[in-house]
Amino acid sequence: MPADPQCVQDVLKWILREKLDFKLALTPLVSRGFNTLAKVAAMTPADITGVLPQSLHNKATAAIARLKAAMDDPSFIGEKKRKAGGAPQPVAASKKTKRIPLTPPPVPEARAKCPGGHTIKVNRSPVMILWAAVVAHKQGHSWELALSLGSAVASLNARAKGKSLGIYTSGDADHPAASAAAQTVGLLGRAVEVRKGHVDVDGGTLAIDSDRVAVRPESVQKMLVNKFKKKLPFVYGAMYELAAVLPKSELEKDRGKIAYTLYERFRPDVPMGAAGWGAVGELRLDHLGQLKQEHFDLGRAKVAPETTPVPDAIADPKLTADETDEGHAAATAGVLADNIYAEIARRGKGIHFDALVEWCGQPREIVQTAVSDLTEQMLIYDSAGRLCAL
């Protein structure tokens, strides 16, 4: 008979409560028939050795001993039968149920396909919030604090951007700054204030947003589920894999500035200026995959230098006739590279090489040299015959 989903969920909650690695523990337990708390509590040392990875043996042995002791304790008033006929589970005598901390979305298997394709239409805010949460979690913070930090850093960025665009007046945008003694966390290039004393969340600490309000993780997670829906695990998985290849020291240096630079490379494309405020763009998961592979291949993510908004009109790249000989091809390509990259980046869907040559007004070999240099730097890539910016 297949396992009762609710029983499996109880086992998962127990794994998380005991701080075991759920990726290493849950599947072996359920697949070998230990799919209820009662069965887990009855595991013998031989069962533990035969079912769980060696890295979990000591921790799991202690956790199972605590579970068995709790189930044998008189304060447990028996086992509650579920209406669906599932296996019985212990019910504590206390009416107050202990809050289970929030956990990250599950990472889909490599062969799983994202519903509706790997392009998601979404505005930038939830993308930044989720990415910041993934980075904060990689830095070592609990997932609940990571969610709070992600929302707080996005609100700080939004307020600064809104002020620069004139969307917020000076009075609207200015709030009391954190005191010099305040505890902060460096994330996406910003110092985000955190406060302790929230006993009802994992770790007891929450981040403070631009309105000087502590951000609750439940509301952040609910928003992410609402924005990404069934694609949330796939977006999280792509971001998780990118963060996984970044050294923790890199993510903590300069308040995590490298993470923001990477975000600039995969965030949804929206119009510049006020027209792009809150606008929906396309988030492409393949861009995250390319950045991950780039870092994996090079040993360190090759991020673009400080970015500046791409102007609507690019200066004419045409050069004088005496600069077009073969001996100066490499130097000429270097002059062209910035303008070529800017033009490719400006075209959201990319540009064919022939059209790029026509736009440049330069010999093909010179444009090809510049394109080759940009490709080697992993700033552009070829997608179905079109050159696209990363």
Side-chain angles (χ1 to χ4, degrees):
M1 180 173 24
D4 178 9
Q6 186 59 50
C7 293
V8 175
Q9 187 177 22
D10 289 341
V11 174
L12 173 58
K13 289 178 180 179
W14 169 77
I15 290 172
L16 296 173
R17 191 162 52 245
E18 290 290 346
K19 299 189 183 307
L20 300 174
D21 189 329
F22 75 93
K23 295 178 184 175
L24 298 178
L26 182 61
T27 300
L29 287 172
V30 175
S31 64
R32 297 291 290 275
F34 297 97
N35 48 28
T36 69
L37 288 178
K39 291 179 180 178
V40 172
M43 290 182 75
T44 65
D47 290 332
I48 296 171
T49 302
V51 173
L52 295 173
Q54 185 175 359
S55 60
L56 292 181
H57 286 175
N58 292 338
K59 243 181 136 175
T61 299
I64 290 170
R66 285 191 292 271
L67 176 63
K68 187 176 187 310
M71 295 182 69
D72 291 341
D73 194 286
S75 63
F76 281 79
I77 57 174
E79 294 183 324
K80 178 182 178 182
K81 298 277 187 179
R82 291 195 175 85
K83 293 181 180 179
Q89 297 297 312
V91 178
S94 172
K95 293 182 179 180
K96 185 175 180 180
T97 303
K98 184 178 178 180
R99 178 180 178 274
I100 303 299
L102 300 175
T103 57
V107 177
E109 296 181 0
R111 64 176 179 271
K113 293 184 178 180
C114 183
H118 287 264
T119 299
I120 297 104
K121 291 187 178 297
V122 64
N123 60 45
R124 286 180 174 178
S125 179
V127 176
M128 176 181 279
I129 290 172
L130 182 56
W131 170 240
V134 170
V135 172
H137 199 216
K138 173 68 184 288
Q139 289 176 337
H141 303 291
S142 71
W143 181 244
E144 296 202 328
L145 177 54
L147 288 170
S148 183
L149 285 165
S151 180
V153 78
S155 75
L156 292 170
N157 276 283
R159 188 165 292 278
K161 182 70 172 178
K163 186 176 180 180
S164 69
L165 295 175
I167 294 173
Y168 293 128
T169 65
S170 180
D172 291 333
D174 294 336
H175 285 267
S179 67
Q183 183 180 356
T184 61
V185 171
L187 186 62
L188 269 62
R190 290 187 177 275
V192 184
E193 183 183 355
V194 294
R195 287 182 193 163
K196 296 182 179 180
H198 301 272
V199 296
D200 59 336
V201 296
D202 188 19
T205 304
L206 291 177
I208 308 303
D209 65 12
S210 60
D211 290 323
R212 312 295 300 144
V213 175
V215 182
R216 298 289 310 183
E218 299 90 346
S219 61
V220 182
Q221 182 135 310
K222 183 177 180 181
M223 180 277 296
L224 292 173
V225 171
N226 182 56
K227 291 292 183 180
F228 293 108
K229 297 182 171 56
K230 293 183 179 180
K231 295 186 178 184
L232 177 59
F234 294 87
V235 180
Y236 169 79
M239 291 181 176
Y240 172 87
E241 291 180 357
L242 173 57
V245 298
L246 296 169
K248 185 179 177 183
S249 58
E250 286 288 313
L251 293 175
E252 293 176 340
K253 186 168 65 176
D254 297 330
R255 296 177 176 172
K257 192 172 183 180
I258 188 175
Y260 184 78
T261 308
L262 288 169
Y263 162 75
E264 288 184 307
R265 295 180 62 183
F266 67 73
R267 66 188 178 185
D269 289 328
V270 298
M272 294 176 58
W277 184 263
V280 171
E282 289 187 347
L283 172 66
R284 292 180 52 182
L285 301 187
D286 56 334
H287 283 181
L288 285 154
Q290 289 159 2
L291 287 172
K292 168 197 154 188
Q293 191 60 44
E294 173 185 322
H295 180 84
F296 183 80
D297 288 343
L298 299 181
R300 178 182 179 190
K302 193 176 187 102
V303 298
E306 291 294 330
T307 56
T308 54
V310 180
D312 293 333
I314 304 298
D316 187 352
K318 293 182 174 58
L319 305 175
T320 58
D322 61 351
E323 292 178 299
T324 59
D325 60 277
E326 183 176 353
H328 290 80
T332 303
V335 174
L336 284 172
D338 288 344
N339 281 338
I340 286 177
Y341 177 75
E343 177 64 13
I344 294 173
R346 188 173 69 85
R347 301 181 183 231
K349 296 183 179 179
I351 181 174
H352 287 289
F353 179 75
D354 289 341
L356 184 63
V357 171
E358 182 179 353
W359 176 84
C360 286
Q362 295 297 321
R364 294 178 67 88
E365 61 271 16
I366 292 179
V367 180
Q368 182 61 62
T369 302
V371 168
S372 298
D373 288 345
L374 290 170
T375 303
E376 288 178 5
Q377 295 175 51
M378 295 193 177
L379 296 174
I380 64 173
Y381 66 100
D382 186 289
S383 175
R386 302 180 74 90
L387 298 171
C388 301
L390 285 171

